[in-house]
Amino acid sequence: MPEPAATVQPAAPAAATRFGAAVAGLGTALPDTVVPNAAIAERIGVTDDWIVSRTGIRERRHLAADEPLSELAAQAARAALDDAGLDAADLDMILAATATQDDIIPTLAPMVGGLLGVQAGALDVGAACTGFLGGLQLAGAQLESGRADAVLVIGAEKLSAFLDPDDKRTASIFGDAAGAVVLTRTESPGEMHPVVMHAEAQRQMLFADRSRGLIEMEGQEVFKHAVARMTEATHEALEAAGTTLEDIDLFVYHQANTRIIRSVGQRLGLPADRVVDCIANYGNVSAASLPLALADARAAGRLPDGARLLLSAFGAGFVWGATVVDWRASA
């Protein structure tokens, strides 16, 4: 009788390669026009001190009506690429977080790609003030899966175009700005930790509907939700990263309002010198807030190589989240 055929054992599957992501470059861009409190206070019937005491804001930047947001976003993108030592041609994807692109369509990201002279994949992220954090989530996934080597994440807003200049609740709060980071793939995971994000359908406290096209806000209610949610998200992100409050060198929260930032810090028992508060010079710039705060901290010497950061944001939707980042100053 013939010998039975030998059984062939299937080869063991190769271990999946685990990549990581890191911030390789950071850049910002601000409009030339500075709008101090005095220019707004008289019109809405308050004082400069009234605005400062309630928001912490002393001035903000505004684009002129004929100045496109895409140009400002491209400036921030070029600065981030220069900081990373990369060319625009090195990019695999451009993600632009914004709620105020120049047109309904086309969206901001492909327009920035055109200004940079590249045809990289490009799409917008719509999550209001939490949009930049959402961009980090999407970019990190592309890099960690090995589907991209370099991704540009932009946060840019022209909120001045959607303000009622006579609305005391919003006229003094919002500004225009753009910030960007270049994320690159690393051969081992660890520098960009998991991004935790949540959403709750809410249309009545912070919104801009199509009928008026203006930002409207119930400040006290937004304040309560922002403090509670960013506090919760901080703990979630720390747990996801396997770290603790004590291990974080700097807490970078969405710069919405000094009172919100301080309240979150107080709930977490954080000393003021470990929490970034730079809203005085920029106002609330929504999706541009986190990269602008990072740049402000770096300029002040608060981002040394190896610093561990906690980033968190809260915005209309409601959408909120947080993440831990290990900073590579030499990237």
Side-chain angles (χ1 to χ4, degrees):
M1 296 183 62
E3 294 290 329
T7 302
V8 178
Q9 297 295 329
T17 301
R18 294 190 66 202
F19 297 114
V23 177
L26 170 65
T28 61
L30 294 168
D32 292 331
T33 302
V34 178
V35 182
N37 283 347
I40 298 171
E42 183 176 358
R43 185 176 64 245
I44 62 176
V46 300
T47 64
D48 185 320
D49 289 342
W50 186 91
I51 295 173
V52 174
S53 66
R54 284 161 177 77
T55 67
I57 302 167
R58 296 186 179 277
E59 63 183 31
R60 72 288 294 147
R61 305 290 185 100
H62 282 175
L63 287 163
D66 61 351
E67 290 182 297
L69 179 63
S70 53
E71 293 281 359
L72 193 71
Q75 289 178 35
R78 293 188 190 101
L81 285 163
D82 288 345
D83 193 44
L86 296 176
D87 295 322
D90 296 319
L91 295 172
D92 298 301
M93 179 172 285
I94 299 170
L95 301 174
T98 188
T100 57
Q101 66 265 21
D102 296 320
D103 301 292
I104 296 175
I105 48 175
T107 54
L108 180 62
M111 301 306 292
V112 172
L115 291 169
L116 297 178
V118 296
Q119 294 182 331
L123 56 92
D124 281 16
V125 180
C129 302
T130 311
F132 184 78
L133 200 61
L136 294 183
Q137 167 80 302
L138 296 174
Q142 291 292 309
L143 296 163
E144 290 161 5
S145 68
R147 295 190 176 192
D149 293 321
V151 180
L152 175 68
V153 181
I154 304 165
E157 300 287 9
K158 186 179 179 178
L159 294 162
S160 60
F162 301 91
L163 293 179
D164 178 348
D166 298 317
D167 187 343
K168 187 183 294 187
R169 300 168 300 176
T170 59
S172 66
I173 293 175
F174 296 99
D176 304 338
V181 295
V182 175
L183 298 182
T184 54
R185 182 169 61 84
T186 60
E187 294 307 309
S188 59
E191 295 181 45
M192 290 284 299
H193 296 272
V195 180
V196 298
M197 293 192 71
H198 298 284
E200 175 183 298
Q202 217 299 331
R203 298 182 62 179
Q204 303 303 316
M205 297 181 198
L206 178 55
F207 63 95
D209 62 32
R210 287 185 181 274
S211 64
R212 295 192 70 215
L214 299 173
I215 297 171
E216 300 184 55
M217 180 174 66
E218 296 298 332
Q220 287 302 314
E221 290 301 312
V222 171
F223 176 94
K224 289 189 291 186
H225 283 272
V227 172
R229 298 300 185 236
M230 286 198 290
T231 301
E232 293 167 5
T234 294
H235 286 300
E236 286 186 77
L238 292 171
E239 182 176 356
T243 191
T244 67
L245 286 170
E246 291 71 26
D247 294 327
I248 301 298
D249 298 296
L250 200 63
F251 293 82
V252 186
Y253 291 106
H254 168 47
Q255 303 291 296
N257 180 307
T258 285
R259 292 166 60 203
I260 290 175
I261 297 167
R262 289 178 180 172
S263 294
V264 173
Q266 289 167 0
R267 285 200 181 190
L268 294 168
L270 305 175
D273 62 359
R274 289 173 62 199
V275 181
V276 174
D277 182 353
C278 61
I279 195 173
N281 299 321
Y282 310 117
N284 181 341
V285 291
S286 188
S289 173
L290 287 180
L292 213 64
L294 286 170
D296 192 274
R298 184 171 69 172
R302 302 174 75 184
L303 292 185
D305 193 37
R308 178 159 282 192
L309 316 177
L310 186 291
L311 278 60
S312 182
F314 174 91
F318 292 130
V319 184
W320 66 95
T323 189
V324 173
V325 176
D326 293 330
W327 188 259
R328 274 201 296 160
S330 57

